[in-house]
Amino acid sequence: MIKRIISLFISTVMAFSGIQLLSPDELIDIFFETLYGIPFTSSSIKGDFFSEIGENDIEVTGKNSGIVKNRLVVIIKSGTGFSQKRELLENQNLKAIGWCAPVDIFVVSCSQSDSGSIGKKCRSLMQNECVRLAMPLVVSKNAPQGTPNDQYYLFDDLEKCNWDELNPDGSEAWLEMINARQAWDYEAYYNPVKLGVVDTGFSTRHPELKGKITFPNFWQKLLNFPDYHGTHVAGIIAANRNDGIGVAGICSQATLCCVDWSPLISWNSSLSVLFGLAAEVKAGAKAINFSVGKSAAAESDRLEMMENVINADATLTYYFMSSLLEKGYDFLCIQSAGNGDAYGIPIDARYNGIFCGIDENQDFSVVSDIPYDEIEKRIIIVGSTGYDSENGYVQSRFNNVGSRIDITAPGEEIISTITDKSYLYLSGTSMSTPMVTGAAGLIWSINPEFSAEEVRDIILSSTDRVSAKNDSLPEEADAIAKDIPVLNAKLCVEEALKRTYPDMGTVSGKIELNGEKNAVVSFNGKEYTVFSDGSFSFVFDSGNGTISAVFPDGTEIFSAEITVAAGEMTEVSPEPVSEIIE
């Protein structure tokens, strides 16, 4: 009831004081909505009806799934005119309560109030020449994607951390595991980039996110209700790195375009997430982070009951993506693989729904002519990995499994921002996913002309280690589990640079550290991080130059003249400075 009052208040504010903040298309659509009940332009997105769904509006069709009574989802065929849309709704006694005009989809109220009559109405609508697809508004139980642990400590100064990428440990371990520090060595090449996040609400007041949180439009700004989960995800991606406090985001130069998709009751609809996708893409976000999913509401022994929900998810998701592609948008959807079922037992990641639910065995011809591989090229599914000194990289015990997972990133005890200017450790694939989104941001900040397909290829091909499947999996999960590559931000950045600047070459070598750490190698005025075993590698423009290495106290380790050749590896075999002097 409180949220309904808030929604009414927001509508009133928009009507009387917010109208001057709207675009011309939005003003036109307000006029036509007032007169005719539907928008006129192809840019309007209206999703506030989600806030009006209450517990009594749900018909439960499975243990954790259901449909919304008196609601239908109608996908209109592309090219259908305004008058035809009006006529369709009037003749079918339907009233539009929400829409995503960029993809020609309407959510309508109807007189049918149970699954049987709603299904019959959908079949009737499918006979209309203007209708591409009609289906119930499917919902599933909402479940958290992260497990809180409020014992945390921070690093106040990144430069003073005891960095050791070969033995990740401490609050900065996740940054060590993905070689973030080495990726930051190329900061001179980075430019501002816009990334999308569809999650629970976002804190705009956290010092680490100051000036970074934006919204696709004024409506979304008003409908943002700050929450710990969305703020935590935002911090992993873009928390300020050079402010000397708290935590560091992998892509701190990013601006985040945020959509609060969160339900107002204990049920949610994937459609609200997809409305967020359309809003993000329309606003110009390159990669969009989706730390959401359904698997935490599933039960391992009742997965067949979720098939209809998963297939409905996949159909809607495929339609949304293909419609946006047809309109010339290019984007990358990055979703979490999920944290097991309702009991934390890992299951097939496809049961996490939305983008996870799409696979090549399904028939999407009813909603799109876009081939499957064009959709697949714009999806990355992310699992969670941990690390220990004995076993190396191993997938988290809660991590879902199966062929849908493309890559892993750290997801255990990740510290990041939350509301009230605080910090919190959380575990889950929700934490792994924004690391991949951040890496995509680094790549696009180097070259905004990269396509989504190229960025995906860079991320998935620029790896040098794998995360082994967990040995504690139940039999069914173990049968479909596999080793999965681990994100390497350094290699992603270097591959992006080499594709952007073909005259670059690679320099590598190894020096004796004698127990010291945090040495740096300098080449032609730029510094590069040395690993704790003394090894180093970096990419640089072809040509001649002086390479040297120093300890943190300024002591020089070696110095030499080298030539970097385009597209080739230059191996450096340093001699100690004392030997060079002799």
Side-chain angles (χ1 to χ4, degrees):
M1 179 60 69
I2 293 176
K3 292 291 183 71
R4 294 190 185 197
I5 294 172
I6 292 174
S7 296
L8 179 61
F9 173 75
I10 288 173
S11 299
T12 304
V13 171
M14 288 301 302
F16 289 98
S17 63
I19 198 166
Q20 72 275 11
L21 299 174
L22 304 180
S23 69
D25 277 0
E26 288 173 318
L27 291 172
I28 291 170
D29 285 329
I30 287 176
F31 175 77
F32 275 84
E33 179 188 350
T34 302
L35 288 182
Y36 304 110
I38 59 174
F40 182 79
T41 75
S42 62
S43 62
S44 178
I45 299 175
K46 177 180 171 63
D48 54 352
F49 70 91
F50 290 114
S51 66
E52 300 173 357
I53 299 173
E55 289 284 352
N56 293 333
D57 297 316
I58 307 297
E59 178 189 341
V60 178
T61 56
K63 181 177 177 59
N64 293 303
S65 61
I67 64 169
V68 182
K69 303 172 185 175
N70 305 109
R71 300 288 187 270
L72 292 175
V73 179
V74 182
I75 299 175
I76 306 296
K77 289 182 180 177
S78 180
T80 303
F82 176 80
S83 297
Q84 291 174 291
K85 295 174 185 175
R86 276 189 61 204
E87 184 179 345
L88 168 67
L89 296 182
E90 289 176 0
N91 291 343
Q92 294 286 339
N93 295 316
L94 304 173
K95 179 183 178 181
I97 60 172
W99 49 77
C100 185
V103 296
D104 296 310
I105 193 166
F106 285 82
V107 177
V108 299
S109 62
C110 61
S111 59
Q112 289 74 19
S113 60
D114 62 87
S115 56
S117 59
I118 287 174
K120 185 177 179 180
K121 183 67 173 179
C122 289
R123 290 189 291 274
S124 173
L125 280 167
M126 289 286 288
Q127 303 304 310
N128 190 288
E129 62 180 8
C130 297
V131 177
R132 197 172 203 174
L133 183 68
M135 59 194 302
L137 178 53
V138 179
V139 294
S140 60
K141 270 291 185 181
N142 185 37
Q145 287 268 308
T147 304
N149 177 346
D150 58 9
Q151 300 299 314
Y152 66 85
Y153 61 97
L154 307 176
F155 41 90
D156 294 326
D157 188 340
L158 288 173
E159 299 301 323
K160 294 181 180 178
C161 285
N162 186 28
W163 292 96
D164 188 349
E165 285 78 6
L166 302 183
N167 297 284
D169 191 27
S171 59
E172 74 278 9
W174 74 269
L175 293 168
E176 295 173 331
M177 291 166 69
I178 64 172
N179 288 1
R181 189 169 58 137
Q182 288 74 17
W184 296 336
D185 286 342
Y186 299 99
E187 188 170 20
Y189 294 96
Y190 297 157
N191 296 288
V193 64
K194 181 185 285 189
L195 301 173
V197 185
V198 178
D199 210 291
T200 59
F202 309 85
S203 173
T204 59
R205 297 183 179 182
H206 201 292
E208 298 268 33
L209 298 171
K210 187 175 182 181
K212 294 181 177 291
I213 304 295
T214 65
F215 302 92
N217 51 53
F218 186 62
W219 307 82
Q220 290 292 344
K221 182 177 182 180
L222 289 176
L223 291 169
N224 176 62
F225 298 93
D227 180 78
Y228 79 96
H229 191 278
T231 307
H232 197 274
V233 166
I236 292 171
I237 299 174
N240 283 318
R241 179 161 55 88
N242 297 316
D243 57 1
I245 61 169
V247 297
I250 180 174
C251 187
S252 61
Q253 73 272 24
T255 298
L256 302 181
C257 185
C258 299
V259 169
D260 180 357
W261 74 277
S262 54
L264 303 177
I265 57 172
S266 58
W267 296 83
N268 68 66
S269 168
S270 296
L271 190 62
S272 63
V273 176
L274 296 173
F275 270 48
L277 166 63
E280 296 280 16
V281 170
K282 182 171 168 286
K286 294 282 193 178
I288 303 100
N289 190 96
F290 298 90
S291 290
V292 297
K294 297 179 179 298
S295 75
E299 292 183 291
S300 298
D301 58 348
R302 295 187 175 187
L303 293 180
E304 68 279 358
M305 297 178 65
M306 286 193 69
E307 287 296 335
N308 288 338
V309 175
I310 296 303
N311 290 334
D313 258 5
T315 300
L316 267 180
T317 304
Y318 200 100
Y319 170 76
F320 262 79
M321 294 182 70
S322 58
S323 295
L324 292 169
L325 291 175
E326 287 173 347
K327 289 178 171 60
Y329 294 108
D330 192 26
F331 51 91
L332 189 60
C333 299
I334 305 173
Q335 186 190 351
S336 54
N339 309 327
D341 66 6
Y343 308 105
I345 300 171
I347 57 176
D348 193 328
R350 69 180 296 269
Y351 289 104
N352 210 36
I354 316 177
F355 307 98
C356 291
I358 295 176
D359 66 52
E360 60 186 345
N361 298 317
Q362 295 160 296
D363 180 13
F364 297 107
S365 59
V366 67
V367 292
S368 176
D369 295 327
I370 299 290
Y372 172 79
D373 62 339
E374 288 300 312
I375 300 297
E376 183 186 36
K377 291 172 184 175
R378 289 163 177 86
I379 296 173
I380 298 178
I381 306 302
V382 186
S384 171
T385 186
Y387 176 86
D388 66 64
S389 57
E390 290 186 8
N391 300 306
Y393 290 86
V394 178
Q395 290 163 46
S396 304
R397 66 185 183 282
F398 52 75
N399 187 61
N400 280 339
V401 296
S403 60
R404 288 302 293 133
I405 305 178
D406 299 303
I407 198 165
T408 62
E412 299 177 11
E413 296 297 303
I414 308 300
I415 188 169
S416 184
T417 52
I418 58 169
T419 50
D420 300 322
K421 303 179 182 180
S422 300
Y423 302 84
L424 185 68
Y425 275 116
L426 288 175
S427 296
T429 57
S430 278
M431 287 64 251
S432 309
T433 306
M435 299 178 196
V436 177
T437 302
L442 294 180
I443 294 167
W444 252 311
S445 80
I446 291 170
N447 188 347
E449 300 303 315
F450 279 139
S451 67
E453 179 183 353
E454 288 176 299
V455 173
R456 180 182 187 270
D457 179 66
I458 289 172
I459 290 172
L460 299 187
S461 64
S462 302
T463 61
D464 62 349
R465 68 203 83 162
V466 297
S467 180
K469 67 178 185 179
N470 199 293
D471 60 10
S472 64
L473 292 172
E475 184 176 350
E476 289 187 5
D478 186 70
I480 61 172
K482 61 177 182 177
D483 295 349
I484 306 172
V486 179
L487 174 70
N488 189 319
K490 172 185 184 289
L491 295 183
C492 288
V493 167
E494 291 176 345
E495 180 62 21
L497 287 168
K498 288 186 287 188
R499 294 191 188 191
T500 304
Y501 307 103
D503 63 339
M504 279 190 157
T506 303
V507 178
S508 68
K510 190 170 185 178
I511 57 180
E512 285 292 336
L513 295 180
N514 298 320
E516 295 284 346
K517 288 185 179 181
N518 296 326
V520 295
V521 166
S522 177
F523 183 63
N524 285 2
K526 291 186 178 180
E527 292 186 344
Y528 301 93
T529 305
V530 176
F531 288 99
S532 60
D533 65 351
S535 62
F536 62 86
S537 68
F538 58 88
V539 298
F540 203 88
D541 296 330
S542 59
N544 302 320
T546 302
I547 185 170
S548 61
V550 296
F551 287 127
D553 63 2
T555 302
E556 190 174 65
I557 305 170
F558 82 93
S559 180
E561 298 295 319
I562 64 170
T563 298
V564 179
E568 297 184 12
M569 173 76 75
T570 300
E571 293 280 357
V572 180
S573 300
E575 295 181 357
V577 171
S578 59
E579 293 182 15
I580 294 174
I581 294 175
E582 293 174 358

